Amino acid sequence: MDKKLKETILNPIFKGNPISVLVLGICSSLAVTVELKGAFVMALSVTIVTGLSSLVCSLIRKSIPNRVRIIIQLVVVALMVILVDQVLKAYAYGIDKQLSVYIGLIITNCIVMGRIEAYALSNKPWPSLLDGLSNGIGYGMILIVVAFFRELLGSGTLFGFRVIPECFYAAGYMNNGLVILPPMALILLGCIIWIQRSIQKDLQEK
């Protein structure tokens, strides 16, 4: 694997993470991270949509008139979102209902449109697919980390299964209801950004 392709794959996951570094896609990270199951499905959905949309737009990039490129991008992304939504309705209706409008709002997710505009329209299909998938994975990693702590501390469960023993509750332990409120997702996200920038000194503003 050449250096450029390796950077395309790894950069969005770590050094150029779309949420913790570029601070994109924040709204959904606050809305769907109450439970791990919902966060995982949202992460997978965004990864699939970002990857396939980048691939399709890269394939047709030379035939897209510049003045209507945004409209065509939106059509491609909307098609991918509809396909993902229909699959969820068919095979995971409960989760689809739980995520509600947030699956549909992937259409306006700035990560998806941003990668098409910044990368897919000027690169070949294979690197564009990898770039889209990597950005989706980077986005999904943050969602899952935030959801892990919110569900564990707020509900005492992970993926809906009880993980905190009953003896803890008998001894006086209580779930922290504040953790499942949206402001706590923002606080956890801030902690992730702080930790990452403490480790990666080059991300700190001079």
Side-chain angles (χ1 to χ4, degrees), residues 10-200:
L10 297 179
N11 189 63
I13 299 175
F14 301 107
K15 197 171 181 179
N17 188 282
I19 293 185
S20 63
V21 177
L22 303 180
V23 197
L24 301 175
I26 298 296
C27 297
S28 57
S29 67
L30 304 183
V32 302
T33 53
V34 176
E35 295 180 354
L36 263 172
K37 189 182 294 183
F40 180 79
V41 171
M42 186 68 176
L44 184 61
S45 299
V46 170
T47 300
I48 292 171
V49 169
T50 307
L52 293 182
S53 297
S54 292
L55 173 64
V56 171
C57 287
S58 178
L59 286 169
I60 63 175
R61 69 188 186 283
K62 293 182 180 179
S63 60
I64 300 177
N66 188 57
R67 64 182 181 276
V68 295
R69 73 182 192 284
I70 300 298
I71 296 173
I72 293 174
Q73 290 172 31
L74 282 170
V75 170
V76 171
V77 174
L79 174 61
M80 299 306 165
V81 171
I82 290 169
L83 291 175
V84 167
D85 188 45
Q86 291 304 307
V87 170
L88 288 176
K89 279 182 167 60
Y91 297 102
Y93 181 74
I95 298 176
D96 182 76
K97 190 174 181 181
Q98 177 187 335
L99 293 175
S100 184
V101 299
Y102 296 107
I103 292 294
L105 286 175
I106 296 174
I107 296 171
T108 60
N109 192 311
C110 44
I111 297 172
V112 183
M113 293 295 293
R115 294 325 299 167
I116 294 173
E117 187 73 13
Y119 195 92
L121 292 184
S122 56
N123 286 276
K124 293 180 179 180
W126 176 241
S128 297
L129 173 63
L130 293 178
D131 177 77
L133 292 175
S134 297
N135 275 273
I137 291 169
Y139 164 90
M141 282 174 53
I142 303 298
L143 253 66
I144 290 171
V145 170
V146 173
F148 174 86
F149 287 105
R150 291 186 74 190
E151 184 176 356
L152 178 64
L153 300 177
S155 304
T157 61
L158 290 175
F159 286 106
F161 296 101
R162 178 71 59 190
V163 293
I164 296 180
E166 288 296 331
C167 61
F168 279 44
Y169 293 101
Y173 176 83
M174 295 179 64
N175 294 326
N176 189 342
L178 290 175
V179 178
I180 61 176
L181 297 178
M184 186 53 69
L186 193 60
I187 292 171
L188 287 170
L189 189 55
C191 291
I192 292 172
I193 293 173
W194 172 64
I195 291 170
Q196 182 174 7
R197 297 195 180 206
S198 297
I199 297 170
Q200 297 179 325

Side-chain angles (χ1 to χ4, degrees), residues 1-11 126-127 130 134:
M1 184 183 295
D2 62 47
K3 185 177 179 181
K4 186 177 180 182
L5 197 58
K6 186 177 180 180
E7 186 178 341
T8 297
I9 296 171
L10 297 179
N11 189 63
W126 176 241
L130 293 178
S134 297

